[in-house]
Amino acid sequence: MSIKLPVPPKNPTAPIPAPPGMARPHFLALAVGKMGSGKTTTAASYVKALRDAGSFNRVFLISPTYFSNRHLWAWIPCDPSDCFTELSQAGEALQEIVRRIKAAHLAYKTNAAHWEAHEKHTRGGVLTHQERVMLEQMGPPLSRLELIRPCVILDDLQSTQMFNSSAFKSLVLRMRHVCHDPQVGLSFVVLCQSLKNGFPRALRSCVSLWFLFATRDTTVIKDIAQELSGRISPEEFTRMFEYATDPSAPGNEHAYMCIDLTQGGDLTFRRKLVEPLRPADFR
């Protein structure tokens, strides 16, 4: 006897747009590389491509090195008022970012209700008491607000206690539900020089997008291989990683390996987003 479970309804909301071959929000990305490896430029380029495509429309940054990389953050662009530079106040800055996201979402919902009431009134529809009061107090709406689609970049924060705080871990685990709206969640792009004390092991299972730069620390490679044990063997991963990050290969300056767990087929493992890496070729 077989039991057939009922099929739940599909989510009625439209998916957030993203360029082909790039991760669709909401995601947690982790770029790991030593100073000068190119991880900041790579992360900024990736976020800019998603911003240009409409996947993000507001980028927040917490980074003690903001001023030395200001040309990259302005290029995305990231408004200076949404950038936080005090290392000792990273936790408070993240709370402020969440508050701003929620405030922007509430303003959008209020604005949408305002427009709906105004359009109903112009059509001669029957207004609710709340709609009548809104139009009497606010008059006709003058502009439409855009639904916020945020990205939060966390750069060089491995020396802070924020990553190991219960507040940060809770936020990462519920990043899709921060505003209780499927269209408004959080995407994190985390940049760190090493996984050792750089990003909590307990949250690495939440990482769906990796940018891995060359390293001689074999424990890092083993750690990530274990995270991917269901997709690729440790031996295959090690060979693939060494190939992808080999700086002596032509055109492989600032080499890195991209692992995009939101993609399927040949787009999961790539060298610099360009060359597909197939596990079968590294057995």
Side-chain angles (χ1 to χ4, degrees):
M1 177 181 177
S2 62
I3 299 176
K4 189 174 183 179
L5 295 175
V7 179
K10 292 184 178 180
N11 192 327
T13 58
I16 298 174
M22 298 189 73
R24 189 184 304 278
H26 316 289
F27 59 76
L28 171 60
L30 187 58
V32 185
K34 62 183 180 180
M35 185 181 300
S37 62
K39 66 180 182 299
T40 304
T41 301
T42 298
S45 299
Y46 200 92
V47 172
K48 178 173 175 55
L50 288 170
R51 201 185 199 289
D52 290 348
S55 307
F56 303 133
N57 55 22
R58 190 168 176 182
V59 178
F60 298 90
L61 171 72
I62 304 178
S63 174
T65 59
Y66 165 73
F67 293 103
S68 59
N69 291 311
R70 191 169 184 172
H71 62 291
L72 290 175
W73 310 130
W75 174 59
I76 288 177
C78 179
D79 192 291
S81 64
D82 286 332
C83 299
F84 302 84
T85 63
E86 289 297 327
L87 191 64
S88 61
Q89 299 175 6
E92 292 84 348
L94 187 60
Q95 292 177 11
E96 173 61 17
I97 288 172
V98 173
R99 188 198 66 78
R100 293 184 187 184
I101 291 171
K102 290 182 176 180
H105 181 248
L106 179 59
Y108 167 82
K109 291 179 65 178
T110 302
N111 179 259
H114 192 186
W115 273 101
E116 183 178 353
H118 174 69
E119 291 170 352
K120 185 191 292 187
H121 174 67
T122 58
R123 294 194 305 266
V126 179
L127 299 177
T128 66
H129 173 71
Q130 185 177 6
E131 289 171 334
R132 286 198 304 272
V133 172
M134 179 183 294
L135 292 178
E136 288 172 359
Q137 293 180 346
M138 302 174 64
L142 301 178
S143 61
R144 288 187 184 271
L145 294 182
E146 187 178 18
L147 183 66
I148 186 171
R149 288 177 174 163
C151 173
V152 180
I153 302 174
L154 307 176
D155 180 26
D156 272 343
L157 300 180
Q158 58 264 21
S159 61
T160 70
Q161 295 299 316
M162 188 190 76
F163 284 150
N164 291 312
S165 69
S166 58
F168 176 73
K169 293 176 181 177
S170 174
L171 185 60
V172 169
L173 293 174
R174 59 182 177 86
M175 62 184 182
R176 294 176 179 269
H177 314 285
V178 66
C179 288
H180 307 291
D181 183 337
Q183 288 288 302
V184 183
L186 277 173
S187 288
F188 286 103
V189 178
V190 182
L191 288 69
C192 57
Q193 295 185 22
S194 171
L195 282 183
K196 287 183 178 179
N197 302 317
F199 194 75
R201 183 186 295 270
L203 292 179
R204 288 182 205 164
S205 61
C206 300
V207 176
S208 53
L209 179 63
W210 296 80
F211 299 104
L212 301 176
F213 292 80
T215 178
R216 295 183 180 181
D217 189 343
T218 58
T219 60
V220 170
I221 301 174
K222 290 180 180 179
D223 284 348
I224 300 174
Q226 290 178 353
E227 299 288 345
L228 303 169
S229 58
R231 297 173 180 262
I232 184 173
S233 72
E235 294 77 18
E236 291 169 345
F237 175 79
T238 300
R239 297 187 190 105
M240 189 182 293
F241 174 80
E242 291 175 349
Y243 169 81
T245 59
D246 181 4
S248 65
N252 217 25
E253 295 80 13
H254 299 297
Y256 66 89
M257 178 181 180
C258 174
I259 306 171
D260 188 348
L261 301 181
T262 70
Q263 308 288 335
D266 291 343
L267 295 178
T268 302
F269 302 100
R270 281 172 285 176
R271 181 174 72 97
K272 297 181 69 171
L273 292 181
V274 176
E275 180 184 348
L277 303 174
R278 302 171 182 87
D281 296 337
F282 293 89
R283 289 175 184 162

